Amino acid sequence: MNEACHIMADGEILNAQKTEYPLYEAVLYGDKVLTAKFSKRLSCAIKHLPLRVVFRYEYDTTKALEAGVSKDPTLVLDGEIFLEGLVSAEEITQAFEKLLQK
């Protein structure tokens, strides 16, 4: 499944075929409804960027707290809190564009 604007599957790699792109590890913490909404926005917002993201969900509140997560949903990228709350697709795109500029 690599359609535009879809709820990403646990373990899915966005832009998997673009092996020349850097690979980031993302964990989306939160409840199933909000994480599904966030993942759909994420797939729309960054599919055009030169990066790959391997994607995982974590619904366990204890694990979220251990990771320092305090908002639902929260995207943790390569072990660091990256985006908190149900942000817009535009905010997601901007955050990843900034990341790629580093």
Side-chain angles (χ1 to χ4, degrees):
M1 176 184 217
N2 200 15
E3 300 167 19
C5 302
H6 65 282
I7 295 171
M8 296 175 63
D10 195 59
E12 178 179 349
I13 300 176
L14 187 68
N15 292 331
Q17 71 284 5
K18 305 284 190 174
T19 57
E20 70 277 13
Y21 291 173
L23 179 64
Y24 296 91
E25 290 188 34
V27 180
L28 191 52
Y29 290 86
D31 71 41
K32 291 184 180 189
V33 173
L34 290 177
T35 57
K37 287 180 182 180
F38 191 105
S39 78
K40 187 171 184 176
R41 289 180 188 179
L42 179 72
S43 72
C44 288
I46 67 170
K47 67 181 182 282
H48 66 285
L49 296 176
L51 54 80
R52 294 176 298 149
V53 177
V54 62
F55 198 78
R56 201 167 58 76
Y57 291 96
E58 183 54 71
Y59 305 117
D60 185 315
T61 304
T62 303
K63 289 182 181 177
L65 292 172
E66 289 171 357
V69 170
S70 61
K71 283 192 175 182
D72 194 13
T74 292
L75 180 68
V76 172
L77 195 66
D78 288 346
E80 300 290 325
I81 292 176
F82 189 66
L83 291 167
E84 294 181 295
L86 193 56
V87 297
S88 70
E90 292 79 16
E91 289 176 84
I92 295 169
T93 301
Q94 289 170 358
F96 275 90
E97 286 173 344
K98 278 186 190 172
L99 175 71
L100 291 171
Q101 290 173 359
K102 291 182 181 177

